[in-house]
């Protein structure tokens, strides 16, 4: 099943039009038409769509979810708990923006690892 077909199913399930959902995510109708015609999709957009619909990105890509080791109780600085608490208070659009910002920061760090 193509990304576009999965997108259509999610829109239908959530009673949204494909163009309407895209506009709510800050994407254009042209982007949806590109998907319809088999055009590619960026990782950032996959994350934005997954966040909007509240699903794991693997549901859109067909990949196996990454297994993450959970820290043992008392491990770490509590940063994860603070992050989770703040994340739970954000809107889907805020989360999508945060993901884009995080990807930007990682890309910058790769460009200049000492800066």
């Amino acid at each position: 099943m193509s990304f576009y077909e999965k997108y259509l199913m999610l829109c239908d399930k959530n009673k949204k039009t494909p163009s309407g959902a895209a506009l709510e995510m800050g994407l254009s109708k042209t982007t949806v038409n590109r998907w319809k015609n088999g055009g590619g999709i960026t990782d950032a957009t996959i994350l934005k769509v997954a966040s909007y619909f509240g699903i794991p990105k693997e549901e859109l890509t067909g990949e196996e979810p990454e297994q993450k080791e959970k820290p043992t109780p008392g491990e770490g600085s509590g940063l994860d708990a603070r992050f989770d608490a703040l994340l739970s208070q954000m809107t889907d659009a805020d989360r999508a923006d945060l993901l884009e910002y995080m990807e930007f920061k990682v890309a910058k760090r790769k460009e200049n690892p000492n800066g």
Side-chain angles (χ1 to χ4, degrees), residues 58-75:
E58 292 82 9
E59 197 169 315
L60 294 169
T61 62
E63 299 171 356
E64 290 292 318
E66 294 180 21
Q67 296 294 325
K68 295 182 181 178
E69 287 188 35
K70 296 191 177 202
T72 57
E75 185 178 289

Side-chain angles (χ1 to χ4, degrees), residues 71-87:
T72 57
E75 185 178 289
S77 64
L79 187 59
D80 288 339
R82 288 176 43 215
F83 184 79
D84 289 343
L86 290 171
L87 197 60

Side-chain angles (χ1 to χ4, degrees), residues 1 4 7 10 13 18 22 27 32 39 45 49 53 65 67 73 75 83 86 90 95 103 106 110 113 115:
M1 181 180 297
Y4 182 70
Y7 179 72
L10 287 166
K13 180 180 173 183
L27 303 171
V32 176
T45 303
V49 172
F53 288 111
Q67 296 294 325
E75 185 178 289
F83 184 79
L86 290 171
M90 298 175 81
R95 287 188 208 116
E103 288 175 334
V106 169
K110 287 179 181 176

